[in-house]
Amino acid sequence: MLESKVAEHFPDEAEIIKVQKGQELVGKHYEPLFNYFHRHENAFKVLSAEFVTAETGTGIVHMAPAFGEEDFEACKKAQIQLVCPVTEEGTFTEAVADFKGMYIKDADKVILRRLKEEGKVFSHTTFRHSYPFCWRSDTPLIYRAVSSWFVKVEAIKERLIENNKKVHWVPEHIQSGRFGKWLEQARDWSISRSRYWGTPIPIWRAKDGEMLVVSSLKELKDLTGFEGNDIHRHFIDNLVIHKNGKEFHRIKDIFDCWFESGSMPYAELHYPFENQSAFDNGFPADFIGEGLDQTRGWFYTLNVLSVALFDLPAAKNIIVNGIILAEDGQKMSKKLKNYPDPNDVINKFGADSIRCYLLHSQAVRAEDLRFSEKGVEEIVRKLFIPLKNAYQFLATYASLANFEPKNIRSAHPLDRWIISKKEGLIRDVKEAMDAYSLDAAIDPIYQFVDELTNWYIRRSRHRFWDENIEAFETLYMVLKDVVILLAPFAPFITESLYQELRLKGDPESVHGNLIPQPDLYLIDEKLEESTATIQRVVNLGHQLRKTHKLKVRQPLSRITLITKEPSIVEALENGREQILEELNIKELSIASEAGNKIKLTLKPNWRGLGARLGSKVQEAAKKIQQLDQQDILALLEGSEVVLPLDGESFSLSEQDVEVVLNPIDGLVAASFGKVVALMDTALTLELIQEGIVRELVNKVNTRRKEEGLEVQDRIHLTILSTQDVIDAVTLHLEYFRNEVLAVKVDFVLKELEESEFVIEKQVLV
């Protein structure tokens, strides 16, 4: 017994008779528990092996070479011949006479009882551990050594490793990681199975061991007279080859199905018997794709055979996806029914939605994905609905304006911006597709559709109402290119939209178009950067409104943007009108200094600083508190500030502190990068009245939709409300009428908590 296990197995103090090294026991014979194989050469002696651990048991394990790989290798090394007293059905053979015919699991208790009766049981405990079960029948499996045919993989291991370096793996880490490590440990591959159904191994063997390998149906016919095409076992097992005065009978084994899957590149073309040029032109394959588990399956067998036959990898590019799990993280199981019916999900959300959900997920980066219907629904909400709404917007206004595309280029900044973004999108998608990076190909499309609908269309609404031909041309061109670009990922919805956008002379199907080529001349990076700055300021302003509960429809008097960066100042000046409109603010000021309107203070990031400075963190915190406004502003803009600390220099960055903005009363503040925004929250009577009118515009237009009015329909409107509401609308009557398309507005004074409306459609003749 292992010395460290004595106390565990002998709770009371035990008398230790002798302590010696395990190595001293190696080679010594011992008396077996049963004498069934007592005459077996080299058997029943002590061996040493590295896989024996001191964590469980006694430090000594029994070896059964027919029922475990480690046991097999240890006994093989000790020149102990294999014995296998268990049948294919899991019952003992006559070699174990006392238990012959008994199922091994049923025999456990019988064997244990006998050993106890003979006084040979030292300790009987239950040890819980994982155990393999058949996934079909849910019954226990056993490891059992069988005779097998092998491919000598170890002989070509170095060539496999070298050819793997020629493959572009997606994701890249699979090459030297999971697949590369598997190749380094590659063993000879067992390719035979003792089953009935499958592809028979075409080897015929004589009694003296001589073998014939039949290479084709023609050769089989020449050797046996066989006339058929079906080569399953029941057609060819009885075929006898007579040659050189001997009888050759087919071995009973069939090929492992993985050998067949690895033969796919040749079998699909019936190579080498025909299609020589087709094979030469298509091998290695441009790309293949499968799940992460196939690094030890199909990817492996493909490359073993291709390297063995041609010293080439099976494919130039290999895309590896993760495993799709149930939402609870378990494997999807028909038995457990832990996943939604695929047909139900397709009928509910569409096949395109599922496809784009998977492409947009970590599954395409070889990471496991918990499938979620909510994730599929999000794709519909964030990609397909906005895209369809963008087309519907164009179709509605194009119909009113009798628009017909004429491929006119626009010089309007908004049009130039969205065209620049579109050309950049095409470039990025093509580059990602060329790199077989699926998520990098589709992710930019999501972002683009968001900017198309939530910035370009929203900022351009008045231009479409005014029937601006350049806006129509731009949106039509953008939508058409995006639909064609998205077609490989979402073939059904893009086909539907394309049929609405298709002109005479265009291909009949979206899938008849080539992917657009990017016009790099139209990419204006400065314009894109300028617009991005404007968008960030707008987002910052909306964040301030939301944080301080200031409705967007309530106009405010002023926003001050503080920055010293010339390029940002230029962008803000160019986007002045857009910022004011988006944030519903009357005046924008751009300044390089905050003056006395705001005070900046710092909070140390204790965790980060503590990890870097250790015991010096308290002294550093004092230094931080002493920094002046210019130093803090430098940190806010992304610069580093150098502090003296115990005779050394310490670089302080924005990550080491939290910058706190403390504006004066009546102002609220926020920042991003090198910009600080100060928003004036004071409300005058005029601002309040305009806010009332904007709220009413929203409510009336909502009612228009609810009552099914078309976008061009004019109305007669009666407002029942209080005097302050009537006064506000009267003051801004022209604006109000234009926004709700009212040819006439009447007022009825009535004390109500909320205004009421009566809408009458005006029929235009």
Side-chain angles (χ1 to χ4, degrees):
M1 178 179 293
L2 192 67
E3 185 178 11
S4 62
K5 291 292 182 180
V6 172
E8 179 181 328
H9 293 288
F10 292 92
D12 299 327
E13 187 174 347
E15 180 185 355
I16 299 176
I17 299 173
K18 184 179 181 181
V19 177
Q20 62 184 123
K21 296 287 186 181
Q23 187 63 37
E24 297 174 25
L25 298 174
V26 174
K28 293 185 179 296
H29 286 265
Y30 64 90
E31 182 182 342
L33 296 174
F34 298 97
N35 64 354
Y36 300 125
F37 303 102
H38 67 282
R39 294 182 179 177
H40 197 72
E41 186 177 1
N42 292 327
F44 306 118
K45 66 180 181 180
V46 178
L47 309 178
S48 66
E50 293 181 357
F51 60 82
V52 182
T53 68
E55 282 143 14
T56 57
T58 62
I60 301 173
V61 297
H62 174 70
M63 307 297 289
F67 305 104
E69 183 179 2
E70 292 171 327
D71 295 22
F72 177 83
E73 293 296 336
C75 290
K76 179 181 176 182
K77 184 178 180 180
Q79 297 183 331
I80 300 174
Q81 293 298 310
L82 184 76
V83 292
C84 184
V86 175
T87 68
E88 292 181 353
E89 289 75 31
T91 59
F92 283 113
T93 67
E94 59 186 12
V96 184
D98 298 321
F99 309 105
K100 177 185 175 182
M102 188 175 294
Y103 178 56
I104 56 170
K105 294 298 180 183
D106 295 336
D108 285 347
K109 292 182 179 179
V110 180
I111 294 171
L112 182 61
R113 184 165 58 246
R114 174 168 162 177
L115 290 173
K116 285 182 176 179
E117 291 170 354
E118 295 177 357
K120 296 178 179 177
V121 176
F122 166 70
S123 175
H124 175 209
T125 59
T126 299
F127 178 63
R128 292 187 175 274
H129 62 96
S130 60
Y131 193 88
F133 276 70
C134 174
W135 64 273
R136 287 190 178 92
S137 62
D138 205 25
T139 54
L141 301 173
I142 61 168
Y143 292 100
R144 177 176 173 272
V146 295
S147 177
S148 185
W149 293 80
F150 286 82
V151 170
K152 287 187 176 181
V153 175
E154 292 180 41
I156 61 170
K157 182 190 296 186
E158 294 306 316
R159 296 309 309 151
L160 279 167
I161 292 172
E162 284 303 309
N163 275 283
N164 181 44
K165 296 176 182 177
K166 302 175 185 177
V167 178
H168 173 226
W169 285 85
V170 180
E172 186 179 3
H173 65 80
I174 300 294
Q175 181 180 60
S176 58
R178 187 180 175 100
F179 192 73
K181 294 290 188 289
W182 181 250
L183 291 183
E184 290 171 6
Q185 303 299 320
R187 308 283 290 275
D188 290 345
W189 171 24
S190 171
I191 61 168
S192 63
R193 296 292 180 267
S194 300
R195 298 173 186 156
Y196 188 80
W197 291 109
T199 300
I201 296 178
I203 296 176
W204 271 254
R205 181 164 52 190
K207 287 185 178 180
D208 63 1
E210 183 182 351
M211 289 180 286
L212 298 175
V213 180
V214 180
S215 62
S216 66
L217 272 173
K218 181 180 183 302
E219 185 178 359
L220 184 62
K221 178 181 179 181
D222 293 342
L223 292 171
T224 66
F226 180 67
E227 294 288 348
N229 288 316
D230 192 329
I231 55 172
H232 283 98
R233 287 188 60 178
H234 52 297
F235 290 108
I236 69 169
D237 272 6
N238 294 325
L239 298 178
V240 180
I241 297 175
H242 296 274
K243 189 174 183 180
N244 301 330
K246 302 175 187 177
E247 280 191 358
F248 293 81
H249 296 266
R250 199 191 74 81
I251 63 173
K252 299 303 180 184
D253 298 284
I254 65 169
F255 277 116
D256 171 18
C257 63
W258 287 108
F259 186 91
E260 296 176 278
S261 73
S263 305
M264 178 278 298
Y266 329 109
E268 70 168 347
L269 293 172
H270 199 219
Y271 176 86
F273 304 105
E274 54 184 327
N275 299 313
Q276 178 76 49
S277 62
F279 175 77
D280 291 342
N281 293 331
F283 183 84
D286 285 332
F287 84 95
I288 56 176
E290 248 292 0
L292 182 63
D293 52 335
Q294 297 308 312
T295 50
R296 299 178 182 183
W298 189 49
F299 297 144
Y300 178 69
T301 61
L302 278 171
N303 280 286
V304 166
L305 293 182
S306 66
V307 169
L309 292 169
F310 302 102
D311 197 22
L312 287 170
K316 301 169 187 174
N317 302 276
I318 300 180
I319 303 175
V320 186
N321 61 262
I323 307 302
I324 311 302
L325 305 173
E327 194 164 6
D328 60 6
Q330 298 186 61
K331 287 186 177 181
M332 290 187 175
S333 165
K334 291 181 180 178
K335 178 182 177 182
L336 297 176
K337 296 181 180 178
N338 59 349
Y339 59 90
D341 187 312
N343 289 323
D344 291 344
V345 179
I346 290 172
N347 291 334
K348 187 175 181 180
F349 300 112
D352 284 347
S353 304
I354 300 173
R355 184 181 296 105
C356 289
Y357 164 66
L358 296 175
L359 291 171
H360 190 51
S361 74
Q362 68 265 31
V364 296
R365 298 190 295 275
E367 299 173 21
D368 290 349
L369 170 69
R370 296 187 180 194
F371 184 86
S372 167
E373 283 192 72
K374 291 181 180 178
V376 181
E377 183 181 13
E378 185 176 345
I379 296 302
V380 176
R381 189 175 71 253
K382 290 188 175 181
L383 178 61
F384 294 145
I385 289 178
L387 188 60
K388 291 175 74 174
N389 286 346
Y391 164 72
Q392 197 59 51
F393 175 85
L394 173 65
T396 298
Y397 284 96
S399 175
L400 294 174
N402 296 315
F403 165 70
E404 292 185 5
K406 294 182 176 61
N407 197 27
I408 297 173
R409 293 287 182 182
S410 170
H412 192 284
L414 261 177
D415 297 336
R416 286 174 40 236
W417 170 77
I418 197 63
I419 290 293
S420 176
K421 296 289 287 187
K422 187 257 295 183
E423 298 301 331
L425 172 70
I426 295 172
R427 175 200 59 201
D428 294 345
V429 171
K430 286 180 67 66
E431 287 177 356
M433 290 294 281
D434 288 343
Y436 293 86
S437 182
L438 299 180
D439 56 336
I442 196 169
D443 289 356
I445 300 178
Y446 286 82
Q447 178 64 30
F448 181 85
V449 170
D450 177 68
E451 291 194 292
L452 175 68
T453 55
N454 289 325
W455 189 260
Y456 176 78
I457 290 179
R458 196 177 77 250
R459 295 291 312 147
S460 301
R461 282 186 179 276
H462 66 282
R463 298 173 64 214
F464 284 92
W465 182 249
D466 294 339
E467 300 185 359
N468 184 292
I469 191 66
E470 292 180 342
F472 281 110
E473 289 281 0
T474 300
L475 183 54
Y476 173 81
M477 186 188 315
V478 167
L479 276 176
K480 193 171 184 180
D481 279 352
V482 170
V483 164
I484 294 171
L485 196 62
L486 184 60
F489 309 101
F492 301 115
I493 188 172
T494 52
E495 183 66 55
S496 173
L497 291 172
Y498 177 78
Q499 293 306 321
E500 301 297 331
L501 295 165
R502 186 168 72 92
L503 300 177
K504 185 178 180 180
D506 286 343
E508 290 187 9
S509 168
V510 68
H511 305 296
N513 290 273
L514 295 175
I515 295 296
Q517 294 296 319
D519 187 342
L520 302 182
Y521 177 76
L522 297 176
I523 297 177
D524 189 334
E525 292 183 354
K526 183 178 180 181
L527 177 59
E528 289 188 30
E529 290 173 5
S530 176
T531 304
T533 298
I534 295 166
Q535 290 172 327
R536 292 189 69 183
V537 167
V538 169
N539 290 336
L540 191 68
H542 285 309
Q543 175 190 324
L544 273 172
R545 278 183 172 274
K546 184 176 180 180
T547 301
H548 298 280
K549 296 181 173 55
L550 300 167
K551 291 183 177 180
V552 177
R553 295 190 191 96
Q554 173 58 63
L556 297 176
S557 61
R558 177 192 294 267
I559 184 170
T560 301
L561 300 174
I562 304 165
T563 182
K564 294 180 179 179
E565 188 69 30
S567 61
I568 296 178
V569 172
E570 182 182 359
L572 297 178
E573 288 289 1
N574 292 335
R576 179 180 293 272
E577 181 182 347
Q578 298 175 66
I579 294 170
L580 292 175
E581 287 183 5
E582 287 291 318
L583 295 179
N584 192 15
I585 293 177
K586 297 300 180 182
E587 184 179 339
L588 166 63
S589 296
I590 302 172
S592 59
E593 302 287 346
N596 61 356
K597 294 181 180 179
I598 189 170
K599 182 179 180 182
L600 307 177
T601 56
L602 295 177
K603 286 184 179 179
N605 175 0
W606 293 108
R607 177 177 294 183
L609 287 171
R612 291 175 60 190
L613 300 177
S615 60
K616 299 178 182 179
V617 68
Q618 292 295 339
E619 183 182 350
K622 292 178 182 178
K623 299 277 188 182
I624 290 171
Q625 299 295 342
Q626 295 169 4
L627 291 175
D628 60 25
Q629 295 292 291
Q630 292 300 318
D631 287 332
I632 299 175
L633 190 58
L635 285 172
L636 192 63
E637 293 176 346
S639 301
E640 288 189 346
V641 174
V642 178
L643 297 178
L645 196 63
D646 278 355
E648 298 179 357
S649 295
F650 167 60
S651 294
L652 188 71
S653 69
E654 189 179 6
Q655 288 70 40
D656 297 318
V657 293
E658 177 189 350
V659 180
V660 181
L661 308 177
N662 304 286
I664 62 175
D665 289 344
L667 299 178
V668 293
S671 68
F672 76 84
K674 298 183 178 182
V675 177
V676 175
L678 293 172
M679 189 179 288
D680 191 336
T681 60
L683 296 178
T684 63
L685 176 61
E686 290 78 8
L687 291 173
I688 293 171
Q689 287 181 319
E690 187 176 341
I692 291 172
V693 173
R694 286 178 178 269
E695 287 288 352
L696 286 178
V697 167
N698 177 260
K699 293 181 184 300
V700 172
N701 283 334
T702 300
R703 279 283 299 278
R704 285 177 60 98
K705 290 181 181 179
E706 291 171 353
E707 297 192 13
L709 294 176
E710 298 294 336
V711 67
Q712 73 276 18
D713 289 340
R714 267 57 174 179
I715 60 172
H716 283 166
L717 177 65
T718 301
I719 300 176
L720 294 80
S721 193
T722 57
Q723 189 62 51
D724 58 340
V725 171
I726 294 174
D727 290 344
V729 176
T730 302
L731 184 63
H732 299 279
L733 187 58
E734 192 63 27
Y735 163 81
F736 181 77
R737 288 176 55 191
N738 289 336
E739 290 297 311
V740 301
L741 297 186
V743 295
K744 184 179 180 183
V745 178
D746 293 323
F747 301 98
V748 175
L749 181 61
K750 195 171 184 180
E751 292 300 322
L752 297 168
E753 290 186 8
E754 188 170 343
S755 301
E756 295 180 357
F757 313 104
V758 177
I759 296 177
E760 297 178 14
K761 180 178 176 181
Q762 172 70 28
V763 180
L764 301 179
V765 180

